[in-house]
Amino acid sequence: MTAAGIYIHIPFCRSKCGYCHFLSFPFDGGDEADAGAGERYADALLREMRLFAAARRGEPLLVDSIYLGGGTPSLVPARWIADLLDGCRRLFVLAGDCETTLEANPGTVSSDKAAAYRQAGVNRVSLGAQSFSDAELRAVGRIHDVAAVAEAMDALGRRGGGAGFEDVSLDLMLGLPGQTAGSWRETLARATDLPVRHLSVYMLDLDDDSPLRAPQAGGAPTLPDDDLVADLYAETVGDLAARGFAQYEISNFAKGGRSSRHNLKYWRREPVYGFGLGSHSFDGRRRYANVCDFGEYFRRVEAGRSPVAWSDEVTGRRAAEELFFLGLRLAEGVRLRGIPEAAESLLEERRAALEDFCDAGLLDWTGERLRLTRRGMLLSNEVLQLFV
Ligand code: SF4
C-alpha cells in the first residue's frame, strides 16, 4: 500500500499580506462572530474527513505525512489542532514515523501553544519568517517583526524551556520591497544561525495589478530589480550548500536529509488528500478541489455531501507532462528507466529542444536521469514550459 499525505487547510489569518495568493480570510479569535464561524469550520473539517473515510467503504488509508497549512494554523486555538490530529488517528492508519507539520507565523506562537502542538502529535513546524529586516516585513504587511521570529523560535525550539521541536523549517522571501544584497545576506546569515534543518526560499510573486508594483511615493521602498534577485538566488544556493543545506528542490533546502516528506509527494505525483475550503487532492489518477465559498462548503458538508467542486482525470499525455513538469523541480530530476509510454513519446517529441537546453548548460541528460543543472534551476521556467 502506497502511503498518502493528508493536507488540512486552515483559511484564517490575522490580516492579509500584500502579496498573498492563498485562500485565507482575516480572523480574530477574540471576536464572537469570528470565533463562532471558526468553531463551525473546525467541526466541518472533521465531518469532511469522516465523509471521506466512509466513502472508502472500509478500505484503510495509510498516511505517512500530515500538513496543517493555511492561512495561519497557529492563529486558531491549539485545541482544534489536537482534535484534527485525533480525527486523523481515528480515521486513517498513521505510519509510526508520520511527518506531521504545522504552518506557523511569528506573532501567533506562544510557549503554551507550542507545547500543545507537540502534545497533539505535531513533529515539524514550518515558520513563516520571510525576512530579518523589520522594514521589509512592514513593506509587505506581515503582522510580525524580527523580534517575533526569535520569540517563536524560543517557544518552539530545544533551548531554554522551548517545546523541543527538532524539525523547524523557515520560509524566506527574495525580492521584497526595499531588499538589498546586504539585507538579504543578513537575513540568510541570521536564518542559518538558528537551529533549523530546512529552509524554503521563495521569490516574491506579484500579480500584475498588485499595489506593491505601483511606483512608490514618499520614499516608500521599491522592488529590487530582477537581475539582482536572480544573482542573489544563485549566490544563495552556493551559500546554503556551504552551510550544510543541500538544495533538493528549486526553492527548498535541507540539512541532514530532512527534506519535507509531504512536499516531496506533490513533486513525485504521490497521493495527497486535501480537506477544507478550496483544498486540492490527487489520488494517483484524478485531481480534484473543494469549493472555495464558506457558505457552500458548510451547506454541503453539514448535509453529508461532498464539498468537491471539480474533478479531472490526469492520465496518459497529461500525466506524462506532469511527470516532467513537477519532477524536474527536484534536484534528483526524473528517473527515465521504466517511465510510461506516453512519457517516452513526449521525451522524443521534445528531444531537440531538450538537447538545446543541455548544450546551454541548463539540463543534464544522462541515460538514467533528466535533471536541471544549478543554472537550470535558476532559469527553470524556460525548461519547464516545454511540458506545460
Ligand atoms: S500569512 Fe500567508 S496565507 Fe496569511 S495572508 Fe499572509 S501570505 Fe497569505
Side-chain angles (χ1 to χ4, degrees):
M1 200 181 351
T2 308
I6 295 287
Y7 175 81
I8 300 174
H9 191 60
I10 309 288
F12 304 119
C13 289
R14 193 170 285 162
S15 60
K16 198 78 175 164
C17 301
Y19 57 87
C20 182
H21 300 286
F22 302 107
L23 187 65
S24 79
F25 302 91
F27 177 82
D28 174 1
D31 176 276
E32 213 174 303
D34 275 7
E39 293 288 340
R40 190 177 175 193
Y41 183 72
D43 181 58
L45 275 171
L46 282 165
R47 282 176 192 248
E48 188 196 350
M49 293 202 295
R50 284 197 291 271
L51 282 172
F52 170 87
R56 293 179 62 84
R57 300 178 193 284
E59 189 191 341
L61 181 71
L62 177 62
V63 169
D64 68 355
S65 74
I66 300 173
Y67 198 101
L68 293 133
T72 306
S74 53
L75 182 62
V76 303
R79 177 175 47 80
W80 293 17
I81 306 300
D83 289 349
L84 289 164
L85 293 179
D86 272 350
C88 289
R89 278 187 281 271
R90 278 197 309 275
L91 296 166
F92 311 122
V93 180
L94 298 199
D97 65 343
C98 183
E99 177 190 273
T100 304
T101 304
L102 178 110
E103 248 177 24
N105 277 324
T108 63
V109 186
S110 63
S111 298
D112 287 352
K113 272 187 174 173
Y117 298 148
R118 254 181 87 79
Q119 178 77 19
V122 174
N123 54 25
R124 184 173 182 276
V125 174
S126 173
L127 188 68
Q130 315 307 353
S131 168
F132 283 77
S133 152
D134 282 337
E136 290 169 17
L137 291 168
R138 267 196 310 276
V140 288
R142 296 292 304 190
I143 59 163
H144 70 277
D145 57 13
V146 174
V149 179
E151 282 160 24
M153 286 302 298
D154 286 346
L156 294 167
R158 307 189 64 181
R159 297 194 283 226
F165 282 99
E166 286 184 5
D167 268 334
V168 178
S169 172
L170 291 188
D171 283 359
L172 302 176
M173 293 192 88
L174 245 175
L176 294 173
Q179 197 170 55
T180 62
S183 73
W184 172 250
R185 287 174 191 140
E186 166 83 7
T187 284
L188 209 55
R190 293 187 61 180
T192 50
D193 275 350
L194 290 169
V196 296
R197 291 181 167 181
H198 188 281
L199 288 170
S200 299
V201 177
Y202 298 111
M203 310 254 190
L204 182 67
D205 177 22
L206 296 174
D207 294 331
D208 288 344
D209 58 355
S210 166
L212 293 176
R213 281 192 187 282
Q216 303 291 317
T222 51
L223 294 169
D225 78 52
D226 291 349
D227 288 344
L228 174 65
V229 172
D231 287 349
L232 289 176
Y233 170 83
E235 181 184 304
T236 297
V237 173
D239 272 10
L240 287 179
R243 294 173 206 224
F245 288 87
Q247 183 177 31
Y248 70 97
E249 194 267 347
I250 291 171
S251 306
N252 286 281
F253 304 81
K255 222 178 197 176
R258 307 302 290 208
S259 35
S260 161
R261 182 189 288 174
H262 185 83
N263 287 340
L264 280 170
K265 289 183 188 294
Y266 293 109
W267 300 307
R268 291 179 175 159
R269 303 188 72 247
E270 294 170 359
V272 176
Y273 298 96
F275 298 95
L277 197 72
S279 66
H280 286 235
S281 301
F282 178 58
D283 66 6
R285 277 183 77 83
R286 252 178 354 123
R287 293 197 179 276
Y288 55 91
N290 282 354
V291 294
C292 294
D293 175 78
F294 269 117
E296 183 65 8
Y297 179 74
F298 286 141
R299 260 191 302 284
R300 291 209 200 180
V301 173
E302 289 168 358
R305 290 190 294 125
S306 162
V308 170
W310 59 260
S311 162
D312 213 358
E313 192 153 80
V314 185
T315 52
R317 174 76 170 197
R318 288 194 51 207
E321 288 168 353
E322 281 195 6
L323 177 78
F324 293 111
F325 181 73
L326 296 172
L328 282 175
R329 296 188 60 91
L330 293 169
E332 69 189 20
V334 177
R335 186 166 182 261
L336 299 177
R337 187 182 293 172
I339 56 173
E341 218 175 285
E344 277 184 19
S345 312
L346 182 57
L347 212 51
E348 269 321 299
E349 279 172 39
R350 302 283 187 267
R351 177 174 282 276
L354 291 170
E355 285 175 351
D356 285 348
F357 283 130
C358 288
D359 292 344
L362 303 187
L363 264 181
D364 177 20
W365 187 352
T366 57
E368 277 276 293
R369 282 188 185 274
L370 184 65
R371 64 183 141 217
L372 292 172
T373 60
R374 190 182 273 194
R375 201 168 112 72
M377 290 264 184
L378 178 61
L379 300 169
S380 57
N381 284 347
E382 290 186 30
V383 181
L384 298 181
Q385 69 185 6
L386 273 184
F387 299 106
V388 178

